[in-house]
Amino acid sequence: MAGINYSTTMLVLLVAALIICSVSANFQRDVEVTWGDGRGQITNNGDLLTLALDKASGSGFQSKNEYLFGKIDMQIKLVAGNSAGTVTAYYLKSPGSTWDEIDFEFLGNLSGDPYTLHTNVFTQGKGDREQQFKLWFDPTSDFHTYSILWNSQRIIFSVDGTPIREFKNMESQGTLFPKNQPMRMYSSLWNAEDWATRGGLVKTDWSKAPFTASYRGFNVEACVLVNDQSSCPNGSEQGSSGSWLSQELDSTGQEQMRRVQNNYMIYNYCTDTNRFPQGLPRECLST
């Protein structure tokens, strides 16, 4: 922190924002159900949120706040049984035609077959950075925590505290990185039977509807955008050691991520030479 001078006002705002956002959020207070004609419900005094999907429509919600860097945790219990054709999405996204986005998408499957966990990163409307995994547990039998850590240097995707993917800021090598556009947290449950399960070969069994996904434990530590101003001052990404503002994977985290990727990754855009015949993206060539 040496050599960095913050104004008293901005420092107070930052501390206040971190204190407020480090407390487990209340769905009634902190999100709004934005579509679904009643299929999204908040119960248990704001501690539980459910989304439902039937043949007529799915449903979704979004955070009331916008964030510019943060650590977002959500506990989700996915659609049980035959979930083929359904997609449960949990992501950060900015508005506009040149949006930024950080994605978790859970692609449903036939009973007994594992979900596909799909991750992606968009910057200025450009994505094509997919990595996909099979989970090492049944995500429908209980709640599990899915986390997005986003600061100016990296994005880390984690499942139950285990990192599964890291996307580093490599702007110096010509790779776009989302660091200028504030994003809201969104989640939705919707029908994607045309592509979600085995490329659309397996269709949704509507006799199993309504499909339901459940949410709890929404927790946010973030720079909140208020009146077009971030609660975090410029330079705050340098943060204190170990904070989310400066967090990076230590050797244990790197080893955990390698183990997950070696055993559970089923697709990595950085190894798909058929998709990129002119050469892999720059970030894939960096060590």
Side-chain angles (χ1 to χ4, degrees):
M1 299 288 289
I4 299 176
N5 295 314
Y6 300 143
S7 71
T8 301
T9 301
M10 292 305 293
L11 182 58
V12 169
L13 281 173
L14 171 60
V15 172
L18 294 179
I19 291 174
I20 291 171
C21 290
S22 66
V23 176
S24 184
N26 179 282
F27 286 120
Q28 288 178 333
R29 181 188 66 229
D30 298 308
V31 309
E32 53 185 345
V33 177
T34 50
W35 63 282
D37 294 327
R39 293 173 181 82
Q41 297 286 331
I42 298 174
T43 58
N44 291 9
N45 296 316
D47 291 333
L48 181 70
L49 188 152
T50 56
L51 296 180
L53 164 69
D54 58 30
K55 197 167 186 177
S57 179
S59 49
F61 67 95
Q62 68 182 49
S63 64
K64 292 180 180 178
N65 286 326
E66 288 183 293
Y67 313 113
L68 187 58
F69 306 134
K71 183 178 184 295
I72 317 293
D73 302 319
M74 184 74 78
Q75 296 179 30
I76 307 175
K77 181 163 65 173
L78 296 174
V79 173
N82 184 358
S83 57
T86 71
V87 174
T88 305
Y90 157 54
Y91 57 103
L92 300 175
K93 186 176 185 295
S94 66
S97 59
T98 55
W99 74 98
D100 293 346
E101 186 172 341
I102 305 169
D103 285 343
F104 274 114
E105 289 186 316
F106 304 89
L107 313 185
N109 217 329
L110 294 169
S111 297
D113 291 341
Y115 266 77
T116 295
L117 171 54
H118 177 100
T119 66
N120 204 350
V121 177
F122 288 79
T123 310
Q124 298 177 27
K126 298 179 181 179
D128 298 332
R129 297 158 166 175
E130 302 93 340
Q131 289 184 357
Q132 295 183 340
F133 305 81
K134 297 296 185 185
L135 293 170
W136 51 95
F137 53 83
D138 179 0
T140 73
S141 63
D142 203 352
F143 288 89
H144 292 269
T145 302
Y146 304 93
S147 305
I148 298 170
L149 185 145
W150 167 43
N151 60 37
S152 65
Q153 295 303 310
R154 59 189 40 82
I155 297 163
I156 301 172
F157 298 80
S158 300
V159 177
D160 287 336
T162 298
I164 66 170
R165 177 180 184 180
E166 181 180 30
F167 185 86
K168 293 182 179 180
N169 183 341
M170 296 184 180
E171 289 181 315
S172 62
Q173 301 177 33
T175 298
L176 296 175
F177 185 86
K179 69 183 183 69
N180 297 314
Q181 300 189 70
M183 298 191 266
R184 294 185 191 272
M185 185 279 298
Y186 295 86
S187 190
S188 58
L189 175 59
W190 51 291
N191 175 38
E193 64 177 0
D194 57 333
W195 64 267
T197 305
R198 298 181 190 171
L201 294 177
V202 182
K203 303 301 181 182
T204 305
D205 182 356
W206 293 110
S207 70
K208 306 298 184 183
F211 304 99
T212 303
S214 301
Y215 301 76
R216 71 183 187 191
F218 174 38
N219 190 75
V220 182
E221 300 176 68
C223 302
V224 178
L225 195 74
V226 180
N227 296 325
D228 295 325
Q229 296 294 320
S230 172
S231 59
C232 297
N234 292 335
S236 65
E237 64 269 12
Q238 297 186 28
S240 60
S241 177
S243 75
W244 61 267
L245 283 164
S246 59
Q247 186 172 337
E248 58 187 72
L249 292 178
D250 59 15
S251 58
T252 299
Q254 293 283 356
E255 177 58 32
Q256 289 175 330
M257 184 173 68
R258 282 193 294 269
R259 186 164 59 248
V260 169
Q261 293 184 350
N262 288 339
N263 291 294
Y264 300 103
M265 180 183 284
I266 59 173
Y267 178 78
N268 182 3
Y269 78 111
C270 279
T271 61
D272 193 345
T273 54
N274 291 329
R275 182 176 173 186
F276 301 103
Q278 302 304 315
L280 293 171
R282 288 192 182 105
E283 66 267 21
C284 299
L285 305 176
S286 301
T287 57

